[in-house]
Amino acid sequence: MSEQLVPVSEIQSTDDNVPRWGMAIDLDRCTGCEACVVACHVENNIPVATEDEAAMGRSSHWIRIDRYYEGTFPDIKVKYRPVLCQQCDDAPCEPVCPVYATYQNAEGLNVQVYNRCVGTRYCANNCPYQVRVFNWFDPEWPEPLELQLNPDVSVRPGGVMEKCTFCVQRIQRGKLDAQAEDRKVGDGDIQPACVQGCPAEAMAFGDLTDPESKVSQWAGVGRSTQLLGELGTKPKVFYLEKSD
């Protein structure tokens, strides 16, 4: 399922001053608690699917926890794998969009332009990771839950595709804070909600072009792999397989 095809050392930026954001996830540390899923929902104004929608498979998650079972009862081992947008350098979702609503920006993020999307769902059909979500209806939050919405993130209307952005609003905030203090963005200054919320510290985020960054060091170890890397999508999410 996973194969290391793109070493982190080969991920280069077109500009020395432009980072290439990536993530590394240590599956040895992941307990499957789904704190990252909850943090992502709260940070990015993701509504919870109703019971009727969930029964039709219309769940709304930008990150999910896949479970794998090994062995036979009672000797069963459970393994967990957080799966989010892999921010591919050769993303299959991008060339099929008829209105150019999704593209890769200079920092390596697969950007989604919500007000350009017309909801064809071609991108979701072409994504091998199944990490894109279609808004079937306008989101609703019963009172007083609308008060917890993040003002830094737009509330997406019904009929558009949405997905993980590596919390691009936090990336922008981190860069503005560094600019105001007349310094460079330091490793660890920017953390997506899932990384910050992980109690096991199983996730690392940062600039893959910086060899000293935590994410680069994690991604460069021997048990680092990429999910479905054999497809040639060149993901920028690295998984450290369980050492057992």
Side-chain angles (χ1 to χ4, degrees):
M1 183 191 318
S2 302
E3 183 179 343
Q4 177 75 23
L5 293 182
V6 184
V8 65
S9 59
E10 294 184 9
I11 297 179
Q12 300 294 331
S13 174
T14 56
D15 188 324
D16 291 339
N17 295 319
V18 177
R20 298 286 282 183
W21 303 112
M23 185 178 295
I25 303 174
D26 190 344
L27 301 183
D28 251 347
R29 302 187 183 194
C30 179
T31 63
C33 69
E34 300 203 22
C36 55
V37 178
V38 175
C40 180
H41 266 261
V42 174
E43 173 72 19
N44 293 292
N45 299 338
I46 303 173
V48 177
T50 65
E51 184 177 350
D52 292 337
E53 290 180 51
M56 291 185 284
R58 297 174 178 176
S59 61
S60 258
H61 303 294
W62 285 8
I63 180 173
R64 68 177 187 269
I65 306 295
D66 285 351
R67 293 173 177 83
Y68 303 90
Y69 300 91
E70 291 184 354
T72 56
F73 183 83
D75 298 319
I76 296 179
K77 292 183 179 180
V78 183
K79 296 184 177 181
Y80 305 100
R81 184 187 299 269
V83 181
L84 62 162
C85 177
Q86 304 291 295
Q87 307 294 343
C88 308
D89 275 341
D90 286 336
C93 58
E94 294 174 356
V96 297
C97 180
V99 292
Y100 200 56
T102 181
Y103 67 95
Q104 185 176 109
N105 69 9
E107 297 181 350
L109 298 179
N110 299 130
V111 180
Q112 184 73 20
V113 184
Y114 301 118
N115 60 2
R116 186 181 293 170
C117 178
V118 295
T120 62
R121 289 183 283 166
Y122 292 162
C123 56
N125 291 333
N126 223 38
C127 174
Y129 306 102
Q130 297 299 293
V131 290
R132 286 176 167 267
V133 179
F134 182 69
N135 274 345
W136 291 90
F137 304 102
D138 288 333
E140 295 182 0
W141 286 270
E143 295 184 359
L145 295 183
E146 79 280 0
L147 300 177
Q148 59 92 37
L149 294 178
N150 185 352
D152 292 335
V153 181
S154 63
V155 175
R156 286 75 59 189
V160 302
M161 297 299 306
E162 58 181 73
K163 66 172 194 69
C164 164
T165 65
F166 275 171
C167 289
V168 66
Q169 70 279 1
R170 292 191 172 203
I171 295 176
Q172 290 299 110
R173 189 186 312 147
K175 292 191 294 186
L176 289 174
D177 288 345
Q179 183 179 6
E181 297 171 7
D182 194 23
R183 61 174 176 82
K184 292 184 177 181
V185 176
D187 186 39
D189 285 352
I190 299 173
Q191 287 190 328
C194 58
V195 178
Q196 183 182 17
C198 180
E201 299 184 356
M203 312 172 84
F205 177 82
D207 183 5
L208 289 171
T209 64
D210 178 9
E212 302 300 322
S213 68
K214 183 177 181 181
V215 67
S216 291
Q217 293 177 359
W218 280 25
V221 301
R223 57 192 178 97
S224 174
T225 62
Q226 292 164 309
L227 186 60
L228 299 178
E230 64 272 15
L231 298 180
T233 56
K234 300 180 182 178
K236 289 195 290 300
V237 176
F238 294 80
Y239 291 94
L240 279 62
E241 295 294 338
K242 291 183 74 69
S243 54
D244 59 358

